Amino acid sequence: MTNNEISKFTNMLLHLIFIILTITCLLPIVLVFMISITDYDTIVLNGYQFFPEKFSLEAYTYIFKDYTVIVKAYGVSIFVTVIGTLLSVFISSLYAYPISRADFKYRGIFAFLIFFTMLFGGGLVPWYMVYTQVLDLKNSVWALIVPMLLSPFNVLIMKTYFQMSVPPALIEASKIDGAGELRTFFRIVFPLSLPVFATIGLFNTLHYWNDWFNSMIFITDTDLYSLQYLMYKMISQADYLSRNGALIQGSATELAKLPGETIRMAMALIGIGPIVLAYPFLVKKMTNE
């Protein structure tokens, strides 16, 4: 075989492998969708199927019986994710950039402080008291943003990237040309560091979008529930009603037949919607050189 034929064969093999991997990744999502529109009794009798015998939209009917709650939760989650990600990436980069510079006098102190917080924490009670009593963020949308603004792991990733990918000569040249630190950062460092910004942005996007714990701790106002916490509440409620419906009504009722399994799958699909759209854009930025 010639080199050209070997190259074509290798490309075909790699394409085939990636097609198989893609199908492997998509099949679980397809299965979740099919379960969400399957009749609950059919699942009980036959288990999970890609081609169920009987279809039903009962799970979606249950979820969207009060669609305004879902819409509000979507709005809260989108706002928290977008604003939280932008602020988190900005603050993390402003912390990581100075400690990546060898000429920063206090880099050792600030690097130690950020590393120390990776190893030791104050505990849940002091953490809660700071945000509720000192910062007074309870029942505020900022309670879903501020606690996750600065991640030591993300700061160390950005610090390492700045050290490895931004030539010190460029920074020195910008100083000679009269550029200040902020101008150097935004005009030179930022354009050269788009992959790490996109990577940290993806981490933060997933973190903010999937967070439900902060809603559980800080939020009692139903209008401020995030989508993930609302899903948790709805699934818990459906499970409770399906298990205790007969006790609540005094006899076997429709409550005992709530499609708990299909509700879980439907909520999973509702929850991953926007993040699926954001993921390809961020991955493209991560791979740009």
Side-chain angles (χ1 to χ4, degrees), residues 9-278:
F9 175 78
T10 303
N11 287 335
M12 290 178 59
L13 182 61
L14 289 175
H15 279 85
L16 179 61
I17 291 173
F18 282 112
I19 289 172
I20 294 173
L21 290 175
T22 302
I23 294 173
T24 304
C25 294
L26 291 177
L27 281 179
I29 299 177
V30 175
L31 180 60
V32 168
F33 172 72
M34 296 308 296
I35 296 170
S36 72
I37 60 173
T38 301
D39 180 69
Y40 182 68
D41 292 333
T42 302
I43 293 177
V44 173
L45 292 174
N46 303 322
Y48 299 158
Q49 293 179 321
F50 281 101
F51 303 100
E53 297 177 0
K54 186 178 180 181
F55 294 93
S56 173
L57 296 177
E58 189 175 358
Y60 292 97
T61 302
Y62 173 81
I63 292 171
F64 288 103
K65 63 183 178 181
D66 188 3
Y67 68 92
T68 56
V69 176
I70 300 289
V71 172
K72 287 180 181 178
Y74 254 112
V76 170
S77 287
I78 291 173
F79 176 83
V80 168
T81 301
V82 173
I83 301 301
T85 298
L86 293 176
L87 288 177
S88 182
V89 170
F90 180 68
I91 292 174
S92 297
S93 64
L94 291 185
Y95 196 109
Y97 175 63
I99 64 176
S100 71
R101 293 273 299 273
D103 57 344
F104 179 47
K105 182 178 179 181
Y106 303 104
R107 64 179 300 212
I109 297 174
F110 284 96
F112 170 77
L113 290 175
I114 199 68
F115 181 72
F116 184 83
T117 60
M118 293 183 66
L119 304 178
F120 304 99
L124 183 60
V125 174
W127 175 79
Y128 176 80
M129 292 177 65
V130 166
Y131 289 114
T132 57
Q133 298 185 20
V134 178
L135 299 179
D136 193 25
L137 293 180
K138 190 170 184 178
N139 275 329
S140 166
V141 71
W142 293 104
L144 307 179
I145 296 175
V146 175
M148 298 188 295
L149 274 181
L150 192 64
S151 167
F153 180 72
N154 292 344
V155 170
L156 293 179
I157 290 177
M158 299 187 87
K159 168 185 173 293
T160 303
Y161 189 92
F162 292 150
Q163 288 177 328
M164 301 296 294
S165 302
V166 180
L170 281 179
I171 297 175
E172 292 297 329
S174 68
K175 284 184 177 181
I176 294 173
D177 290 340
E181 293 292 350
L182 286 178
R183 187 172 185 181
T184 299
F185 178 76
F186 287 108
R187 297 295 297 271
I188 296 177
V189 177
F190 179 76
L192 293 175
S193 306
L194 287 180
V196 75
F197 277 91
T199 301
I200 301 304
L202 178 60
F203 290 167
N204 286 324
T205 299
L206 294 173
H207 199 185
Y208 275 109
W209 183 261
N210 292 324
D211 176 64
W212 59 270
F213 182 75
N214 286 335
S215 291
M216 183 180 70
I217 294 295
F218 297 117
I219 304 298
T220 57
D221 184 356
T222 55
D223 289 339
L224 295 177
Y225 281 173
S226 66
L227 182 64
Q228 304 299 332
Y229 184 62
L230 179 65
M231 289 195 299
Y232 167 78
K233 295 276 286 186
M234 293 182 71
I235 291 173
S236 299
Q237 182 184 34
D239 286 344
Y240 177 80
L241 292 176
S242 63
R243 293 172 184 173
N244 301 283
L247 296 176
I248 294 172
Q249 299 296 328
S251 61
T253 64
E254 291 301 318
L255 285 175
K257 298 180 181 179
L258 279 174
E261 198 66 29
T262 56
I263 288 174
R264 289 191 190 92
M265 301 304 174
M267 293 300 286
L269 285 176
I270 292 171
I272 67 173
I275 209 69
V276 170
L277 299 178

